[in-house]
C-alpha cells in the first residue's frame, strides 16, 4: 500500500485519560490560538435520522506548513454534553488506524479529518440551557516519531451549521 504501518503504542484509553485529566486539572493549558504549523477547524451539525436526531462533530487539520509524521487526532466534548447525548463516552480518536498519516506541505493527503456522530436524547428531555456547551471541543493533535512526540492541545468552538442553529432554537428555554 505504500503506507507506513503504525507501530506506536498509543491507545484510545491513553488518549481518553490524557484529555480527561487535562480538562479536569489543567483546563487553562488548552490553547485557543492555532499554531503556525497547520490550520485546524471544527464544525457541528444536527441531522434527523429515522432512529433519532444526531449531532455530528468534525475536526479538519490542513494547510500544513512543515512535515508532520504519524499524526494522531483526538477530541472530546464538554463533560456536560453527557446529559444530552445517548453514548457511553464523548471521546473520538484515530488511534485505531492501522497506518500512520504523515502530512507534508502541498502533498497528498492535503489534510486529515476526524468526525463522530452522537445520538441525541429525545427533544423532550433536552432544554436549550442543557446545550450551552455544545460548541466546546477539546482537541489533542500529536505528531512525530515514537520517541519525540509533540502534543498540541486546543479548546475550539465548533462552527454550527444552519441545521444545528435551528435545532437549538427549537428547544424549550427551560
Amino acid at each position: 500500500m505504500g503506507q507506513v504501518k503504525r507501530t506506536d503504542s498509543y491507545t484510545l484509553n491513553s488518549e481518553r485519560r490524557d484529555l480527561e485529566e487535562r480538562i479536569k486539572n489543567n483546563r487553562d493549558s488548552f490553547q485557543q490560538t492555532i499554531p503556525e504549523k497547520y490550520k485546524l477547524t471544527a464544525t457541528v451539525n444536527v441531522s434527523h435520522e429515522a432512529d433519532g436526531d444526531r449531532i455530528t462533530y468534525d475536526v479538519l487539520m490542513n494547510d500544513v506548513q512543515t512535515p508532520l509524521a504519524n499524526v494522531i487526532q483526538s477530541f472530546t466534548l464538554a463533560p456536560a454534553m453527557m446529559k444530552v447525548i445517548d453514548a457511553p463516552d464523548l471521546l473520538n480518536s484515530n488511534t485505531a488506524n492501522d497506518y500512520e498519516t504523515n502530512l507534508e506541505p502541498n502533498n497528498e493527503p492535503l489534510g486529515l479529518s476526524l468526525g463522530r456522530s452522537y445520538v441525541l436524547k429525545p427533544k423532550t428531555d433536552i432544554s436549550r440551557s442543557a446545550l450551552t456547551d455544545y460548541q466546546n471541543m477539546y482537541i489533542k493533535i500529536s505528531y512525530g516519531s515514537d520517541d519525540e512526540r509533540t502534543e498540541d492541545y486546543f479548546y475550539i468552538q465548533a462552527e454550527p451549521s444552519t441545521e444545528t442553529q435551528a435545532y437549538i432554537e427549537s428547544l424549550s428555554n427551560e
Side-chain angles (χ1 to χ4, degrees):
M1 292 183 60
Q3 294 180 311
V4 176
K5 184 89 168 158
R6 181 173 279 163
T7 59
D8 58 44
S9 59
Y10 294 92
T11 67
L12 186 64
N13 286 333
S14 65
E15 291 292 290
R16 178 188 330 278
R17 240 184 342 269
D18 187 24
L19 280 168
E20 286 176 355
E21 286 176 14
R22 192 170 283 266
I23 289 170
K24 184 177 178 183
N25 300 321
N26 196 8
R27 197 173 289 208
D28 291 341
S29 67
F30 285 91
Q31 302 172 49
Q32 294 187 33
T33 57
I34 305 306
E36 295 178 11
K37 291 183 180 180
Y38 52 86
K39 183 178 177 184
L40 192 63
T41 56
T43 58
V44 56
N45 185 47
V46 172
S47 60
H48 309 288
E49 310 294 329
D51 63 344
D53 294 331
R54 295 185 186 276
I55 190 165
T56 302
Y57 292 85
D58 284 299
V59 172
L60 175 62
M61 180 181 177
N62 63 357
D63 195 22
V64 297
Q65 301 300 309
T66 184
L68 304 175
N70 193 12
V71 178
I72 295 178
Q73 293 177 313
S74 299
F75 73 76
T76 191
L77 308 177
M81 288 299 290
M82 284 303 294
K83 297 175 186 172
V84 298
I85 289 176
D86 190 11
D89 65 57
L90 300 173
L91 182 79
N92 191 26
S93 181
N94 69 347
T95 55
N97 290 3
D98 291 336
Y99 294 93
E100 291 182 10
T101 300
N102 299 309
L103 300 175
E104 295 182 19
N106 304 313
N107 282 339
E108 295 285 336
L110 296 176
L112 185 59
S113 178
L114 181 65
R116 181 173 175 189
S117 286
Y118 305 86
V119 174
L120 287 162
K121 292 183 178 178
K123 257 187 169 180
T124 54
D125 296 346
I126 302 173
S127 67
R128 194 176 305 164
S129 63
L131 276 173
T132 56
D133 293 331
Y134 81 95
Q135 291 177 272
N136 299 349
M137 296 184 73
Y138 298 91
I139 301 169
K140 177 183 176 185
I141 305 290
S142 61
Y143 49 90
S145 62
D146 291 350
D147 57 343
E148 286 189 38
R149 303 282 299 162
T150 297
E151 297 177 335
D152 297 333
Y153 297 87
F154 302 99
Y155 166 77
I156 291 182
Q157 294 273 303
E159 182 67 34
S161 66
T162 304
E163 294 83 4
T164 303
Q165 292 170 343
Y167 179 86
I168 301 297
E169 287 299 315
S170 72
L171 296 172
S172 70
N173 285 320
E174 297 172 10

